[in-house]
Amino acid sequence: MKPDPRFLSYYYDSIQEMPEITLDRSRTALLLIDMQKNFISRTEGESVAFKAAGVWEHWLPFHDRLDTITVPACKKLLEYSRNNHMCVTFAKIASLVSDGSDRSPVQKKAGWNDILLPVNDPLTQMIDELSPIKDEIVVNKTTDSVVAGTNYDFLMRNKAIKTIIVGGIVTDQCVASSIRGLADAGYQIICVEDACAAGCMEQHIAELKIMNFLYCTVLSLTETLNILEINQQPRQQRDM
């Protein structure tokens, strides 16, 4: 498999070929991170605060990417996973008490990271296009990582999951923290580049360059879906 040169760091910039990914779809989970109304809506949540503060133009490229690239890619991953009876999981930032005192220090810092989203608040929920359905797993994070902040790893081990396909926001914070923790826990991770977004493309690309090859394999949506299809075929057909 040819690596995308945009996502090769100094440590791996001489690599010409990456190992082919093999997986078992019955042991593969989709994880969508923090695709919540508070962050994605243009009329509620953060957007209201950005407009009031006079910084909305600064965040427009982020929202444009969400609307035109990231949300559609997540929807396609979700549709594929459901149609093929794969394990579907979600993580969202959600304090379990209304004053947010259960949040980690990371989520209490002044500025953009001071995120107070009580678990039952409507803005805490996933956007309608990516809303969980029956028997899909949702974990509530009080810090960035699904590993440090929830029992996600325990649940995936109970379900014998070996590979996790990740999309969500933001690339350089909750997505990256979760991928690192899951990689350290022994999972094979695919990070779907177009199913993720950061505040700006510079940070998005920089974080993917850091994680690629070491903590995960960074692929496009098309590449990811192709791998899922190839690995569903009998091995003798794959090798032809």
Side-chain angles (χ1 to χ4, degrees):
M1 180 182 358
K2 296 287 186 185
D4 188 328
R6 292 178 301 164
F7 307 124
L8 284 180
S9 71
Y10 178 85
Y11 304 110
Y12 301 108
D13 60 7
S14 63
I15 289 177
Q16 302 298 314
E17 291 283 339
M18 298 177 75
E20 295 295 329
I21 295 176
T22 60
L23 54 83
D24 179 344
R25 278 201 320 210
S26 67
R27 294 193 172 194
T28 299
L30 172 66
L31 170 60
L32 298 181
I33 299 173
D34 299 353
M35 299 296 286
Q36 296 166 255
K37 295 177 181 179
N38 182 71
F39 306 122
I40 295 175
S41 172
R42 289 181 182 240
T43 59
E44 298 179 285
E46 279 191 343
S47 296
V48 175
F50 293 153
K51 291 170 184 176
V55 296
W56 175 238
E57 295 294 324
H58 181 73
W59 288 94
L60 264 178
F62 172 63
H63 279 272
D64 288 344
R65 178 176 171 87
L66 286 174
D67 291 348
T68 62
I69 297 174
T70 304
V71 171
C74 287
K75 287 172 64 176
K76 289 180 180 178
L77 286 170
L78 185 58
E79 179 181 349
Y80 184 94
S81 300
R82 287 172 173 169
N83 288 343
N84 290 279
H85 310 291
M86 290 167 53
C87 177
V88 173
T89 68
F90 302 84
K92 55 188 174 71
I93 295 174
S95 62
L96 304 182
V97 294
S98 58
D99 68 357
S101 57
D102 57 325
R103 296 173 297 166
S104 71
V106 167
Q107 290 185 0
K108 294 176 183 175
K109 287 188 175 180
W112 186 65
N113 265 47
D114 186 14
I115 301 168
L116 175 57
L117 287 173
V119 67
N120 292 319
D121 191 307
L123 291 177
T124 303
Q125 312 317 311
M126 305 293 283
I127 60 172
D128 293 342
E129 302 97 309
L130 303 174
S131 183
I133 62 176
K134 182 181 178 182
D135 289 335
E136 294 178 345
I137 292 172
V138 181
V139 294
N140 297 307
K141 299 186 287 95
T142 51
T143 190
D144 283 4
S145 170
V146 296
V147 176
T150 77
N151 65 339
Y152 186 85
D153 177 36
F154 183 72
L155 297 174
M156 293 302 98
R157 292 188 189 281
N158 288 348
K159 291 181 66 63
I161 294 297
K162 301 295 184 184
T163 301
I164 301 176
I165 298 171
V166 178
I169 55 177
V170 290
T171 312
D172 53 313
Q173 294 189 22
C174 291
V175 171
S177 294
S178 296
I179 285 174
R180 282 173 165 79
L182 291 168
D184 281 338
Y187 297 95
Q188 174 177 242
I189 309 296
I190 296 172
C191 180
V192 185
E193 183 274 327
D194 29 359
C196 297
C200 68
M201 286 302 295
E202 180 183 6
Q203 289 178 207
H204 174 73
I205 291 171
E207 189 60 57
L208 293 179
K209 285 178 69 171
I210 291 169
M211 292 194 296
N212 194 22
F213 202 78
L214 179 59
Y215 298 106
C216 64
T217 301
V218 176
L219 299 177
S220 68
L221 171 67
T222 299
E223 289 170 327
T224 302
L225 295 179
N226 286 342
I227 284 171
L228 286 167
E229 282 298 297
I230 289 169
N231 280 275
Q232 186 61 13
Q233 298 172 359
R235 183 169 295 278
Q236 59 269 29
Q237 291 184 26
R238 288 185 237 158
D239 296 338
M240 290 177 63

